[in-house]
Every structure is written in C-alpha cells, then in structure tokens.
Amino acid sequence: MSPQRYNRTNFVTSAVAVKILKAMQGALKDGLQHYVENKRGQRWLRVCVRPVDGSDSRFTFEFHAGNGQSVGHLVLQALFVWSDEHESEFSRLVGELYRLTSHPYIVWRQAEAKALQDAADKERREWLKARGITHSFKAPGGITYLGRWVRNWLGRKKFLAIADHNGAEFFKPFKLDNEALWYGTTQGFFV
C-alpha cells in the first residue's frame, strides 16, 4: 500500500485553514516546528520557518505532510478557496515573516535572555539599594564607586563607598578623602 498523496482538496476547509494559520502564528512567534493534527489527534502537517536558499536574512514558511511530501504549493492553491479573513491573515503572516532579518527562534531566545538579564539586574539593584546605595560617584582617577552621602558630627558631607562600579560590595565601606570629593563628580542617583 502506497502512502497517501495530498492534493488541494485536503486544505480547502475552513477548519484546516484555521489550524494551519494557528501553526504559522506559532512558528512565527518562537521559530520552532508546529504541527497540525487531524480529528484523531495525529500529526499530519508540519509548519516551520526556514531561510530562503542563498539568503541569510530572508525566511519562508515550509509545509510538509506526514509522509514527507512538500505541500506548500497545495496550501497556496487552497488559499483561493479560503475566506477573505483567512486569506488576509495568511498574507499578513507571510509579510511579517518577510520583514524579519533574523530567524524567529534567535529573536525569541534573545528576548528571553534579555528578560532574564533584566530581572537579574533589577534584583541586584534592589539588593544594593537595601545596603544603602543611593548615588554613583566617579573619583579623579576614573574609578566609579557606588554608595551614599553621609554627614559627620560637624555636618560636613562625605561619600561613603559601599561597592565598586560592578556592584561588588566592599568588605568594609569607607569614606572618600577630601581630594576625591573636590575633584570627583557625582554621576547621579542609583536607581
């Protein structure tokens, strides 16, 4: 028995169109392979994003049936039977993919890494704020200290250095000398 060969009629129904569009949206969002399942829950169509041959910055959708048959041309033929809203959604997704200059998986991973880094930075800043850091001060030698302004018993201001510019806390906080205060600059609030 030979494997099933797909034709245009396998893709013209509205239910199949909705499933294909959902798989396309998923592939465009995360760059991974997404599958369309039949009524029995079996995967019969794979939708993925792949680079256009000979181009590093252009991408296209790829449609493969479960038997290995490339069915992208059949999906395009069925597109003429789909409703106007499904057809416009298909065109929008293809246009959005065409505008991308890097693979959606790379974009997704970079956004995920940036979110993790931002969360770690925010947590570190909150930890430093809890230690009393309010300002950033650049000494004449170019060294940046994180700390806060304090007053001595005469009411004179001194800068209490608590951490270096990377946020590594000193073993013991120290006050900067007068020369550093005269020639250094306060860079701003530590937020």
Side-chain angles (χ1 to χ4, degrees):
M1 184 171 161
S2 64
Q4 177 184 357
R5 300 293 296 170
Y6 291 93
N7 58 30
R8 182 179 70 88
T9 58
N10 297 105
F11 303 97
V12 295
T13 63
S14 179
V16 170
V18 168
K19 290 178 182 178
I20 290 173
L21 291 173
K22 183 178 179 187
M24 287 173 67
Q25 289 168 351
L28 186 61
K29 179 182 176 192
D30 58 18
L32 301 174
Q33 300 176 15
H34 287 263
Y35 295 91
V36 175
E37 296 179 348
N38 61 14
K39 293 176 187 173
R40 293 184 293 273
Q42 299 169 334
R43 296 176 171 177
W44 69 275
L45 180 67
R46 177 176 62 100
V47 179
C48 65
V49 174
R50 72 167 182 87
V52 173
D53 294 333
S55 174
D56 292 334
S57 62
R58 294 288 176 220
F59 301 94
T60 185
F61 286 106
E62 188 173 66
F63 301 91
H64 281 285
N67 62 1
Q69 178 185 356
S70 178
V71 293
H73 63 287
L74 298 175
V75 172
L76 288 176
Q77 289 175 8
L79 185 64
F80 291 103
V81 182
W82 288 0
S83 68
D84 289 340
E85 55 207 33
H86 292 150
E87 185 179 353
S88 64
E89 178 66 13
F90 183 89
S91 299
R92 186 191 67 77
L93 291 171
V94 170
E96 193 173 325
L97 180 65
Y98 187 75
R99 283 191 296 273
L100 290 179
T101 56
S102 59
H103 196 277
Y105 181 76
I106 295 171
V107 172
W108 177 57
R109 293 298 299 199
Q110 287 173 343
E112 190 177 80
K114 185 176 182 337
L116 287 173
Q117 182 66 35
D118 290 346
D121 287 346
K122 184 176 181 186
E123 182 179 338
R124 179 73 178 160
R125 286 183 175 276
E126 293 299 324
W127 184 82
L128 289 171
K129 280 184 191 177
R131 301 292 179 269
I133 294 176
T134 58
H135 288 81
S136 172
F137 186 85
K138 188 168 189 175
I143 301 172
T144 301
Y145 296 106
L146 302 176
R148 67 177 179 265
W149 291 100
V150 293
R151 293 190 181 270
N152 63 9
W153 62 279
L154 290 173
R156 296 186 184 125
K157 287 175 70 174
K158 291 276 191 174
F159 189 80
L160 181 67
I162 299 172
D164 66 0
H165 70 285
N166 290 326
E169 195 171 4
F170 297 128
F171 179 71
K172 182 178 178 186
F174 58 91
K175 293 180 182 173
L176 295 181
D177 61 354
N178 288 333
E179 184 180 351
L181 296 176
W182 292 333
Y183 299 111
T185 58
T186 300
Q187 292 179 318
F189 291 106
F190 185 77
V191 288

